[in-house]
């Protein structure tokens, strides 16, 4: 399986982040970017024995022009973080009217991350490779 190297918010409806592991989160910086290091699952395959194989790539997911950042994550009993769903809604113009802002919500198994951003880019660092039964590369 081969995939393109760069994905953007224009392809949001084609993408899905369910069960993607988050390894690190770089809080919004002076460029107003929020960066997540993730393992992105490009394909799920059910094998004849009923088990699954996952085609996974290490990726960098970067949101631009982030504001209103809020995070509530509880690592009390479990020190890993997986995305259950990444949602966006409420498109609205920026105060100067030059760009569209979206409200993003990343629902995780241990909490939630919410913010507003103009969009994102997801950089594929390596082509997907098959793994299983795990869904992450364990890096």
């Amino acid at each position: 399986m081969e995939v393109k190297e760069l994905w953007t918010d224009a392809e949001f409806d084609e993408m899905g982040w369910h069960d993607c592991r988050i390894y690190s989160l770089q809080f919004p910086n002076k460029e107003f970017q929020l960066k997540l290091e993730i393992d992105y699952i490009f394909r799920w395959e059910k094998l004849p024995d009923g088990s699954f194989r996952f085609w996974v790539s290490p990726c960098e997911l970067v949101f631009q022009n982030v504001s209103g950042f809020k995070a509530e994550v509880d690592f009390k009993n479990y020190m890993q973080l997986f995305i259950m769903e990444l949602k966006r809604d409420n498109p609205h113009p920026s105060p100067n009217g030059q760009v569209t802002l979206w409200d993003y919500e990343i629902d995780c198994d241990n909490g939630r991350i919410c913010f507003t951003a103009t969009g994102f880019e997801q950089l594929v660092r390596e082509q997907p490779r098959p793994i299983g039964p795990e869904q992450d590369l364990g890096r």
Side-chain angles (χ1 to χ4, degrees):
M1 164 179 232
E2 191 164 322
V3 298
K4 64 183 181 172
E5 203 173 293
L6 185 65
W7 297 72
T8 70
D9 54 283
E11 297 154 305
F12 182 86
D13 292 333
E14 299 170 39
M15 302 175 77
W17 291 265
H18 180 72
D19 284 346
C20 293
R21 183 173 176 185
I22 300 174
Y23 287 94
S24 69
L25 177 116
Q26 182 181 0
F27 296 107
N29 57 24
K30 63 183 176 181
E31 285 86 35
F32 301 98
Q33 293 181 327
L34 171 68
K35 294 182 184 180
L36 288 81
E37 290 292 330
I38 66 171
D39 282 345
Y40 187 81
I41 303 169
F42 278 97
R43 185 184 332 166
W44 302 45
E45 292 179 336
K46 189 168 187 174
L47 301 176
D49 67 0
S51 65
F52 285 89
R53 175 170 53 195
F54 305 93
W55 291 80
V56 181
S57 289
C59 293
E60 182 179 80
L61 178 58
V62 181
F63 292 90
Q64 295 98 14
N65 303 303
V66 173
S67 62
F69 178 86
K70 297 176 191 171
E72 183 179 329
V73 179
D74 183 356
F75 290 110
K76 182 176 172 182
N77 296 317
Y78 185 67
M79 293 305 296
Q80 295 178 344
L81 191 60
F82 290 86
I83 297 171
M84 297 293 98
E85 185 176 11
L86 194 156
K87 300 181 271 191
R88 74 171 182 181
D89 64 3
N90 190 29
H92 56 281
S94 63
N96 66 8
Q98 295 186 2
V99 294
T100 300
L101 299 170
W102 292 86
D103 294 335
Y104 286 89
E105 184 175 311
I106 304 173
D107 287 328
C108 300
D109 56 343
N110 290 340
R112 179 176 302 146
I113 302 166
C114 302
F115 53 91
T116 299
T118 55
F120 66 84
E121 290 184 341
Q122 182 167 297
L123 176 64
V124 176
R125 295 190 170 200
E126 296 173 18
Q127 287 299 308
R129 61 182 182 255
I131 62 170
E134 301 83 18
Q135 295 171 279
D136 64 87
L137 299 171
R139 16 186 206 129

